[in-house]
Every structure is written in C-alpha cells, then in structure tokens.
C-alpha cells in the first residue's frame, strides 16, 4: 500500500514537472522553430548530396592505409559492431537532451541546445560535401568494391529517384562520400556538446573514450580510410570552437534566477515575479534586463550592478 502511494505521488510530481517543462520549451520553440526546421532540412540536403556522389563513384583497388595495416579487419560478419556503438552513443545523447522534462536538476534548455547542435552539424556537413565532391576515392567498404552490384549506380531514371535518395538502400549502401566521416561528425558533436553542457564528469571522460573506440572500429570495419576519421577529429573540434564564438552564450539554468541580496527585498519578491523574470530572459534574450540575468552555461558569470545574486533555478 505504501509503495503504491509512493509511486502515485512520484508519478504526479513527474507529470507536473514534464508539463511545466513543456510550457517553457514551447515558448522557446515558438521563437526558434525556424532555426530547428532549417537545420533538419539541411540534414536532408546532406543525405541528398551523399547519394548524388554515389553516381560518380568508380570502384578500384583499395588505397594504401596505415590504419588498415595496423588494425585487423573485422570482416563483413562483424561490421555491425561499429554501427552498434555509434547507435548507442547518439541515442544516449538524444535521450540526455530531453532530460529536463524528467529531472529536477537541469542545466540546459532542450530547444536551445538543439539549435546549437544543428548549427554544428550543418557547418561540418557543408564542409564535408565540398570535400567529397572535390575528389572521389574508391570506397573501401565491402559494397563499394569492384564486383559488388552496389559499387556503381546507373544514371537515375527520374527526379523522384534522386529526391527520395533511393531510401533506404541509398542511406545504408552509399559510396563515394568518404572525406570526412559522417559517423564521426555525429559522434564528436555528441561528445563535445555533452562535455560543454553536461554535468557528470565520468560520462564526459567516457564519451571521449567511446569516440576513440568508435574511430578504431570504423577503420577496422573498412567503412572509411584513416584520413576520413583523422580529418573529422580536427575539423569538428575547430567548427564547434568557431561556431561557439559566433553564437550567444547559452543560459545556464542552474544559475538563471536573480534575487536581491537584501533579505527585506528578497522577501518582497513573489514566486510569480521571479518566474516572469526568468521567462522574460528567454523570450527577449537581447533585453537589458536579460543581460543582467543571463549566466552562460560554460560557467562564466557576468553581473552588471553588484546588487544581485544568481541562484539555482527553482524548477
């Protein structure tokens, strides 16, 4: 009986927390949906470009590669290993971005975080498309080698075949889009984003370890040459570094609410007034009051007047 009451009470709290978070994220979504939609559309354009280069692919002898020499080949029957790890990393990252709907302690806003993630991805993918269209290399993957029926694509029959990217075979059995690895773009963006905005030190360190393992597995599976992975490592990190400099600091929810230092003034503030201040900072990020309210998620705190104190978000 006690267990049932406890579960019911906790379920009620979880529902209220998720509902309140949905309202907050809904306000942010109303202001930022264009950026999210543009980022998602660019994912389609990236897939379209990757499918297009397959028509230009010409199979040939596998190039000499240091990684192929050092790492034993996993073989076609174990090629799923790298895909399994990639899926685990990226799905785990997606689930973490929605944790504000579940947990009380939260540092990020889901909508704002995905705006940044899509910005990282779009810039990286634009550079990737320019690179693999500049020079087409013979694919090292099994379905891209000489003799494989999917190594060469016949000219498209109509525009529909191009627009639909020959789904799903066009995504799974693509060739020619090598430099640099798309898998490593998504992996590194996930790891770097959690490193910047996550809170658990062990997971941050584990993320980098898994990224290294993922790199080795991609090469061992012969899905990419070593250069594709190496270029991805420094390109993605540099892209995130420079994009972050162009974007405004993301507000830190753990230091978002501002109250006066004076006990008398503090007591006079209602919970509703505090909530309005927080929400005004989200709706109008360029306002003067928001400049005093915002504390960036990277831990750097700026205060204009010295008569305010940033405390943890009460949600």
């Amino acid at each position: 009986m006690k267990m049932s009451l406890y579960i019911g009470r906790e379920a009620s709290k979880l529902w209220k927390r998720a509902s309140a978070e949905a309202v907050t994220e809904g306000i942010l979504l109303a202001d930022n949906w264009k950026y999210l939609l543009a980022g998602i559309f660019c994912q389609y354009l990236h897939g379209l470009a990757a499918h297009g280069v397959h028509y230009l692919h010409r199979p040939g002898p596998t190039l000499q590669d240091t990684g192929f020499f050092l790492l034993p080949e996993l073989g076609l029957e174990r090629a799923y290993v790298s895909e399994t790890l990639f899926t685990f990393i990226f799905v785990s990252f997606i689930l973490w971005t929605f944790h504000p709907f579940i947990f009380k302690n939260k540092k990020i806003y889901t909508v704002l975080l995905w705006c940044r993630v899509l910005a990282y991805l779009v810039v990286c993918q634009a550079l990737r498309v320019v690179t693999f269209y500049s020079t087409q290399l013979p694919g090292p993957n099994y379905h891209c080698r000489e003799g494989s029926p999917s190594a060469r694509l016949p000219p498209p029959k109509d525009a529909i075949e191009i627009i639909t990217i020959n789904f799903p075979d066009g995504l799974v059995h693509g060739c020619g889009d090598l430099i640099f690895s798309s898998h490593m773009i998504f992996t590194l963006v996930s790891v770097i984003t959690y490193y910047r905005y996550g809170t658990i030190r062990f997971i941050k360190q584990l993320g980098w370890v898994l990224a290294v393992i993922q790199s080795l597995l991609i090469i061992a599976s012969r899905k990419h040459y070593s250069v594709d992975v190496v270029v991805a490592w420094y390109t993605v990190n540099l892209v995130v570094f420079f994009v972050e400099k162009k974007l405004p600091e993301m507000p830190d929810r753990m230091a978002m609410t501002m109250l006066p230092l004076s006990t008398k003034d503090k007591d006079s503030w209602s919970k509703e007034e505090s909530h309005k201040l927080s929400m005004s900072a989200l709706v109008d990020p360029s306002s003067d009051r928001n400049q005093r309210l915002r504390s960036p998620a990277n831990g750097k705190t700026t205060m204009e007047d010295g008569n305010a104190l940033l405390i943890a978000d009460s949600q």
Side-chain angles (χ1 to χ4, degrees):
M1 185 63 180
K2 291 182 178 180
M3 180 61 69
S4 299
L5 290 174
Y6 174 78
I7 293 176
R9 185 168 61 250
E10 291 302 314
S12 177
K13 291 181 181 179
L14 181 60
W15 173 254
K16 291 179 180 178
R17 189 178 303 140
S19 300
E21 186 66 25
V23 172
T24 302
E25 298 287 352
I27 295 173
L28 293 172
L29 183 60
D31 290 337
N32 297 279
W33 66 270
K34 294 180 180 179
Y35 304 113
L36 293 174
L37 185 61
I40 293 171
F41 182 67
C42 286
Q43 300 308 299
Y44 166 74
L45 293 180
H46 172 253
L48 190 65
H51 179 62
V53 80
H54 195 166
Y55 291 103
L56 305 177
H57 177 257
R58 295 296 178 265
T62 302
L63 303 179
Q64 182 174 335
D65 189 279
T66 304
F68 292 179
F69 176 75
L70 297 175
L71 296 173
E73 187 171 350
L74 288 179
L76 186 59
E77 65 281 359
R78 290 187 294 274
Y80 69 91
V81 176
S82 66
E83 291 295 329
T84 302
L85 180 58
F86 170 76
T87 303
F88 170 76
I89 293 173
F90 194 58
V91 171
S92 298
F93 172 74
I94 293 175
L95 293 176
W96 168 75
T97 64
F98 287 92
H99 81 273
F101 289 85
I102 306 297
F103 297 101
K104 183 176 181 180
N105 295 326
K106 56 199 81 175
K107 184 178 181 181
I108 63 167
Y109 291 96
T110 302
V111 170
L112 298 182
L113 184 74
W114 273 105
C115 286
R116 298 179 102 77
V117 169
L118 287 171
Y120 304 152
L121 292 176
V122 168
V123 176
C124 289
Q125 289 164 345
L127 294 173
R128 179 175 188 259
V129 169
V130 171
T131 306
F132 65 62
Y133 267 102
S134 299
T135 302
Q136 290 83 48
L137 304 178
N141 211 336
Y142 303 103
H143 63 267
C144 298
R145 297 177 183 178
E146 191 70 62
S148 173
S150 60
R152 293 171 178 260
L153 285 184
K157 300 176 182 178
D158 49 40
I160 300 298
E161 181 180 335
I162 299 176
I163 295 174
T164 58
I165 320 180
N166 194 24
F167 185 84
D169 289 340
L171 296 178
V172 179
H173 297 108
C175 298
D177 56 326
L178 291 174
I179 302 176
F180 42 99
S181 170
S182 181
H183 281 65
M184 288 309 302
I185 290 177
F186 282 93
T187 297
L188 289 171
V189 165
S190 301
V191 171
I192 294 170
T193 303
Y194 186 84
Y195 185 82
R196 294 181 67 90
Y197 300 109
T199 56
I200 302 177
R201 183 178 179 182
F202 171 74
I203 296 181
K204 294 181 180 184
Q205 296 172 341
L206 178 63
W208 289 114
V209 173
L210 292 179
V212 172
I213 296 175
Q214 176 71 64
S215 303
L216 299 177
L217 287 175
I218 288 175
I219 298 172
S221 300
R222 303 303 188 254
K223 294 180 178 179
H224 278 278
Y225 293 109
S226 300
V227 64
D228 308 337
V229 174
V230 172
V231 171
W233 268 93
Y234 63 74
T235 302
V236 175
N237 277 279
L238 287 173
V239 165
V240 172
F241 176 78
F242 285 108
V243 170
E244 276 292 331
K245 285 185 171 294
K246 295 297 182 180
L247 295 176
E249 293 283 2
M250 191 165 73
D252 186 350
R253 300 187 71 169
M254 300 181 74
M256 189 65 186
T257 307
M258 183 160 89
L259 296 178
L261 284 176
S262 138
T263 305
K264 180 180 178 181
D265 292 339
K266 178 179 177 181
D267 293 338
S268 67
W269 278 31
S270 66
K271 184 177 180 180
E272 290 76 10
E273 288 171 333
S274 301
H275 179 68
K276 287 179 182 178
L277 273 176
S278 297
M279 293 311 300
S280 68
L282 297 177
V283 175
D284 186 10
S286 62
S287 66
D288 292 338
R289 179 169 56 183
N290 182 36
Q291 295 303 319
R292 297 194 300 272
L293 275 171
R294 286 196 311 146
S295 174
N298 60 10
K300 297 178 181 178
T301 303
T302 302
M303 293 171 37
E304 292 183 357
D305 300 328
N307 60 350
L309 174 67
L310 292 172
I311 67 170
D313 193 333
S314 59
Q315 288 186 354

